[in-house]
Amino acid sequence: MKDGKFTEEEREYLSHLPAVSKVSEDRIYYTDAFRDYCLRVYHRGESPSELFRWAGLDPKVIGYKRVERAFARWRSWEASQTAASTETGDEQH
């Protein structure tokens, strides 16, 4: 990564990872399956950085801040999903 942008080689590598749906010069788009898996395992106590490493997304390469922001977005999304389920009575027991 140079100046916050991924090199062509990095984009090529990232685009072939199962956890990545697409990648641009400065952004990684993750699959819903990766997001869901990460949230499930995170709630069991695993660290976000370790989950990204397991997926081939080493935080040293993509940046720790990128991992933090992804998890912040995902937790916010998860909370909104839970709230929507509660409001509509779709909670699973």
Side-chain angles (χ1 to χ4, degrees):
M1 192 175 336
K2 182 176 167 117
D3 299 324
K5 307 245 186 233
F6 294 110
T7 65
E8 188 172 330
E9 293 81 20
E10 290 168 330
R11 288 193 309 272
E12 179 70 18
Y13 168 75
L14 292 168
S15 70
H16 287 90
L17 294 174
V20 175
S21 63
K22 71 179 184 176
V23 64
S24 68
E25 273 189 355
D26 56 359
R27 181 136 188 221
I28 302 171
Y29 298 84
Y30 306 100
T31 65
D32 290 347
F34 179 63
R35 176 200 62 212
D36 296 346
Y37 169 78
C38 283
L39 287 170
R40 232 180 5 262
V41 178
Y42 169 77
H43 288 303
R44 291 187 211 140
E46 196 57 63
S47 79
S49 293
E50 196 60 31
L51 294 169
F52 271 67
R53 270 189 210 95
W54 291 344
L57 297 158
D58 192 334
K60 289 178 185 172
V61 174
I62 67 170
Y64 286 93
K65 198 66 168 173
R66 193 177 304 274
V67 174
E68 290 174 18
R69 284 185 300 228
F71 263 85
R73 277 192 316 276
W74 295 345
R75 286 191 304 264
S76 176
W77 170 84
E78 183 179 47
S80 72
Q81 296 298 304
T82 303
S85 291
T86 302
E87 290 172 10
T88 61
D90 291 342
E91 287 183 277
Q92 293 182 359
H93 298 280

